[in-house]
Amino acid sequence: MNDNGNTTHPGGAAAAAAPDSDALTAQAALVASLAPVALPAPVAPAAPVAPAAPAGAPGDSVALQKAKKAAKKAKAKVARQAKAAKTSPKVWASTLGGAIAFTFWTIATATFWKNTFSAETLAALIGSTTTIVAAAAAYFKADVLRSGE
């Protein structure tokens, strides 16, 4: 029955009170399937690794020289990759040129050329001048990271 006193089971109150044998069988099967499962036995830790040969072993100087040479090669490769990953001086020059051009027009229109240009003209001047100065700065700046100079 629900809170209103109505029977909610399709077969009435008598059917709701009587347990369903199929439902009990399904519940029993579900409980049986939830039985604990045996876990596998823990694995033993691996045997320790044998220590390296002592430093005074014969042929150590040749092996040491090869190891040093390989380490030096690897270090040089990492240095080249890091150098190539740096930002190009051309990028810095063009950014600085664009910032200078933009700053010039901002100051000029706020001070000595106040109310001289319309908003559309000023936008065109700032855009074109910034592009031209940035391109010129990048053109004249040498790129030692890429050219090897």
Side-chain angles (χ1 to χ4, degrees):
M1 269 197 202
N2 62 13
D3 293 340
N4 297 333
N6 299 329
T7 303
T8 56
H9 196 275
D20 187 9
S21 64
D22 290 338
L24 291 178
T25 306
Q27 286 178 350
L30 178 63
V31 169
S33 70
L34 296 177
V37 178
L39 296 176
V43 178
V49 178
D60 184 44
S61 62
V62 174
L64 185 61
Q65 287 176 356
K66 285 183 180 180
K68 283 183 178 179
K69 188 175 182 180
K72 188 175 180 182
K73 235 181 188 182
K75 186 177 179 182
K77 183 178 179 182
V78 169
R80 282 192 307 272
Q81 289 173 343
K83 190 175 183 181
K86 289 182 182 176
T87 304
S88 169
K90 287 184 175 288
V91 173
W92 288 109
S94 64
T95 303
L96 183 63
I100 289 171
F102 181 81
T103 305
F104 166 77
W105 283 111
T106 304
I107 293 171
T109 56
T111 56
F112 51 91
W113 284 335
K114 194 172 195 175
N115 300 327
T116 306
F117 302 110
S118 67
E120 293 83 14
T121 305
L122 187 59
L125 285 170
I126 291 173
S128 60
T129 308
T130 301
T131 303
I132 291 168
V133 173
Y139 178 78
F140 290 113
K141 179 66 179 170
D143 191 354
V144 294
L145 292 177
R146 306 296 188 262
S147 64
E149 297 173 3

